[in-house]
Amino acid sequence: MLSDLNIKVDSSVFYSDTHSGNTFPFFYGFNQVHRINDIIEFPVINGFNSNGLLKKFDPNSLTETEMIDFIQQMKSRDNFTCAQLMFHSFSFIDQKPDDNKKLYWSSGSHNAYGINQSLMKRFETVLDFIHNEQDIEVITFEDYIKRNIPHQSFWGDGIFNSNTDKSKNAASRFIADRLNKTGLNSFEELNMKLSFNYMMLNRYFSDEEVVLLAQEITDGQIIVYKRIEPLSFNIPNFDWNVSYSNIPNTFQLYLHSLNFLQILVRAYELKRNVKYLKVAYELIRSWYDFCSKKENISENKYVFCDHAVSLRSDNLIYFAKVCNDHAYWDKNMFDMIKTILEQNGNWLSDEKNYTKAHNHGIMQDKALLHIGFCMQNIDWIELAKKRLSEQKKAAFNEEYVHTENSPAYAQLVRKMFLDIADFLEANRDEFGTELRDDMQKVQEYINWTIKPNGFIAQVGDSSNPIGVLCADKSKLVRHSKEVHVVYPITGQYFFRSNCDTLPQNDTWKFVKSGYSNTTHKHADDLSFILYSKGYEIFTDSGIYGYNNDIFRKYFTSALAHNSIIVDNQSYIVDRKHMNCVGMAHHSFFSEYDRVSVFNNAYQGVKINRDFCSYGDLTILYDYVESDEYHVYSQLFHLAENISVVSLSNRSIRLKVGDSGYYVDILQFGDPCRVQAINGDLSIPQYGLISRTENHMDTTTTLKFDMVTAYGFFVTAIAITNAEGYIYLKDEKKCKINDLKYDNKNLSIKILDICVDSSYSDVDFDKVVKSTTTIQDKNCLNFKLDINKPYLGRLEFAYYLYKDGEVIEKRMYSLATNQVFDIKQKGTYRIKYFLSYDDKKKSYFGDTIEVK
């Protein structure tokens, strides 16, 4: 309309005026000049007065001191080229009634009683200031247009305030409250109902770090991840394919996640330095230009991968929301952000890109929810919720234990679901409440994985702080009055003594064997961790990182865990071998606990471990069996503050930091030979520990070797004080010499308590099952299953009966499977014999009719 009338200039109205009638689809920014088609729009300058109230730059709204203060702040802004002083039709009229004043005229609700001299003086004082300032030139709109002065960047406006604490605080917490909702494409229309306190964003940097890091980025040092050093860059020539750091894949992942936005945007929120947002925008544009070439996307797998797209979406929404809230916004920015989010949403919703049964898939669903609500795409919202229901089933088993083999990822995934629950509840979606209830049950498990020092168990790809013994005091708590819990389906057992004066000095034990998912899985079946007296004693060797190199191979192998290995090799961890490991059974007796775990993943070898826990005493019954001779090794990986005091094949003493306590390891079983192996950072072998990604240090590994076909390690691990006492339960205590080993019954007697092995109470009448099947019509297949580990040498013999007569005999061996050729019709049956500890028993299998 204005351009049709050849009018070249317009002026926007007061920013918070609910009667503005402004129907532009965007408020193009705050306190800045913009060109809209052929019209130049000059804004009414807004800012906070001395009382912290948002006011116009107008003599009716501000004192002369506040107006002069506004002008000084305008001059100090980068790229701030012009401003207009706003007047209304009645600006200088005295409208206050008074018995001594004459009413000159009326216009609607306005009455004129003369000239307001104080307003005139205020106006003249400001004019005098402007006239005397050499840096200010007063011109008309027409002159401004003729000079063709470049319009200021939308980064150059800022929020003006007078120099009082109230106004500064108001400016600092300013969130743009646009009340005009007539535009259909404005970002506030898109981010709608979102309650952005940014509970949804996975932050990688603390508030204490971001301001310093943001300054580094503005100085040309890009930062994307805590454990990767900064990379020098300049935006015009930035290489988005750069291979950098000793973990280049991780760098590329977080680079294309645009993780630097977290630093720059949060630093702006804390310090209100608009340069941080400006650099963020320039980097986004550089990335956007890079992605405009299809070959760049196809050649770099990190531009579009589940983790990067998910995190990038949240980072972009965070950036866009803060820019929008603080009035740093224009159409070009809107179009670019909207295009990227639409592209990300389409990619995330495509099933061929979706990662099922994995925390990365949950990241995708979380990001798709955010984009869906942001852009009001109901289909994306419903798809994300449907997927999340399936992800929850896959992420946690019926014991509410996370299936990704790592307590750190259990915490991460639980928090992801809780963040999603917060988000959905903020948007009044009942699915959020369902998620929250389930995550409370998950937390009960996670609590057990937290060691008494407040740090989570370093299992699978979990991390611990480097060189830190204890977490913050608030985390040094006992989460349960119970001293033990077992998760038999998962194959995990926990013990916590709950009896020390200080919680961080409790004794804590953890045993695991079994898995239902290979994600973050190490070859750690049969492994255990022991913590006591303020120190980790036997530790999991750690995460190392995700690079596929020889060190990663070591840290994920059985060699890096407190377990039993065969011939100095690890075993296969895949879906085919899931049933080869697990927990056989457990018993909680009045004095001690016994859990039995097994690992049959080594070809031709069976390994069973009884883990018996009795206060500060732990007893291991480790039975190994094979048809052939092997080198079996029992491993103990010492934590950093544990040192060897004395060492022999039968007895080892360890010192537990400066606690005044010791650990005595006694070997009662078959003969074995011990080595104390110190680590070498150049060799991926024993004696290494990694507390987090990109970290490695040396420690000591104790390795007991036994060469046999079958045999027993019987090991007592006692935590003793300076007087040599071991605390058992309640007021009970004993000394090392009070431990008496009974080889015949495979048990250790401690005072009046006998801690025995599960191998000593096997009733083969109950635990041996046989099955007979016809195979290929010409063969009879006979199989024995023994569902409980047993002590000693067990051998089997077989008789094949036809029509009641023995037609074939097979003598004693270790074989539990037999195949017999069938040449004639008849009634067949197999009799099998067990030879066990000089005792023999016989049983008949099923009767099979062959026609």
Side-chain angles (χ1 to χ4, degrees), residues 259-313:
N259 234 22
F260 47 78
L261 293 180
Q262 294 189 13
I263 301 170
L264 293 164
V265 176
R266 184 57 184 157
Y268 168 77
E269 288 185 301
L270 295 172
K271 293 298 182 181
R272 292 295 192 268
N273 186 340
V274 73
K275 290 182 179 178
Y276 299 149
L277 294 182
K278 185 176 181 180
V279 171
Y281 183 42
E282 290 172 351
L283 281 165
I284 295 171
R285 285 198 304 177
S286 173
W287 180 86
Y288 186 65
D289 291 342
F290 169 81
C291 292
S292 65
K293 299 178 181 178
K294 291 184 178 180
E295 61 269 22
N296 289 337
I297 296 176
S298 61
E299 292 173 2
N300 189 321
K301 65 180 181 180
Y302 293 102
V303 177
F304 281 95
C305 68
D306 49 15
H307 195 164
V309 175
S310 303
L311 187 53
R312 178 168 69 238
S313 300

Side-chain angles (χ1 to χ4, degrees), residues 606 623 625-628 709-710 784 786 790 792-798 811-818 835:
K606 293 182 178 180
Y623 179 61
E625 178 190 352
S626 175
D627 287 341
E628 301 175 354
Y710 61 94
L784 288 178
I786 303 175
Y790 50 87
R793 187 78 165 182
L794 178 61
E795 295 183 318
F796 308 91
Y798 304 90
M811 294 299 99
Y812 284 100
S813 72
L814 296 175
T816 56
N817 280 35
Q818 298 290 323
S835 174

Side-chain angles (χ1 to χ4, degrees), residues 212-487:
L212 292 175
L213 296 178
Q215 190 56 52
E216 285 190 49
I217 296 175
T218 57
D219 291 339
Q221 299 288 317
I222 200 164
I223 299 162
V224 297
Y225 194 52
K226 271 191 174 185
R227 290 185 283 277
I228 300 178
E229 59 276 12
L231 168 68
S232 297
F233 77 101
N234 65 76
I235 292 174
N237 302 311
F238 188 67
D239 179 9
W240 290 93
N241 288 320
V242 61
S243 179
Y244 180 68
S245 85
N246 60 341
I247 44 176
N249 293 342
T250 303
F251 178 82
Q252 271 286 305
L253 169 65
Y254 287 112
L255 177 68
H256 288 280
S257 299
L258 307 186
N259 234 22
F260 47 78
L261 293 180
Q262 294 189 13
I263 301 170
L264 293 164
V265 176
R266 184 57 184 157
Y268 168 77
E269 288 185 301
L270 295 172
K271 293 298 182 181
R272 292 295 192 268
N273 186 340
V274 73
K275 290 182 179 178
Y276 299 149
L277 294 182
K278 185 176 181 180
V279 171
Y281 183 42
E282 290 172 351
L283 281 165
I284 295 171
R285 285 198 304 177
S286 173
W287 180 86
Y288 186 65
D289 291 342
F290 169 81
C291 292
S292 65
K293 299 178 181 178
K294 291 184 178 180
E295 61 269 22
N296 289 337
I297 296 176
S298 61
E299 292 173 2
N300 189 321
K301 65 180 181 180
Y302 293 102
V303 177
F304 281 95
C305 68
D306 49 15
H307 195 164
V309 175
S310 303
L311 187 53
R312 178 168 69 238
S313 300
D314 284 357
N315 286 335
L316 279 169
I317 292 175
Y318 180 36
F319 166 79
K321 185 70 170 73
V322 169
C323 287
N324 184 70
D325 284 347
H326 296 271
Y328 297 109
W329 198 245
D330 76 348
K331 188 176 185 305
N332 291 332
M333 175 187 282
F334 170 81
D335 289 342
M336 181 179 69
I337 297 294
K338 180 173 179 289
T339 299
I340 297 173
L341 290 179
E342 283 181 338
Q343 189 179 36
N344 286 359
N346 287 326
W347 191 91
L348 290 167
S349 62
D350 192 332
E351 289 300 320
K352 71 174 182 290
N353 302 322
Y354 186 56
T355 309
K356 297 180 180 180
H358 196 286
N359 66 76
H360 286 193
I362 303 171
M363 292 180 190
Q364 289 175 273
D365 294 330
K366 179 181 173 186
L368 190 60
L369 272 180
H370 295 166
I371 300 173
F373 273 99
C374 179
M375 307 189 80
Q376 294 293 278
N377 189 317
I378 302 302
D379 290 340
W380 287 351
I381 294 171
E382 292 305 315
L383 175 61
K385 287 163 57 179
K386 179 182 177 182
R387 287 172 169 179
L388 282 167
S389 293
E390 296 303 314
Q391 286 283 1
K392 185 180 64 170
K393 292 177 184 177
F396 305 102
N397 65 17
E398 53 264 58
E399 295 175 325
Y400 288 94
V401 175
H402 189 231
T403 60
E404 288 191 12
N405 308 292
S406 174
Y409 280 90
Q411 284 185 322
L412 169 69
V413 170
R414 175 185 174 273
K415 185 178 185 305
M416 289 170 66
F417 275 114
L418 281 179
D419 287 345
I420 293 168
D422 289 342
F423 179 78
L424 289 172
E425 287 177 341
N427 287 281
R428 300 180 181 180
D429 192 307
E430 294 180 356
F431 185 51
T433 303
E434 177 186 330
L435 290 178
R436 184 178 306 284
D437 292 343
D438 286 340
M439 291 310 106
Q440 181 56 44
K441 298 171 185 175
V442 172
Q443 184 61 47
E444 295 173 13
Y445 163 75
I446 292 175
N447 288 342
W448 281 102
T449 70
I450 299 173
K451 296 175 291 186
N453 64 357
F455 298 131
I456 201 159
Q458 186 169 291
V459 176
D461 286 334
S462 301
S463 298
N464 277 184
I466 302 169
V468 182
L469 289 178
C470 269
D472 181 81
K473 188 176 181 180
S474 63
K475 297 183 179 180
L476 304 179
V477 295
R478 296 178 176 120
H479 297 284
S480 172
K481 293 181 180 179
E482 297 294 326
V483 296
H484 56 204
V485 68
V486 64
Y487 295 91

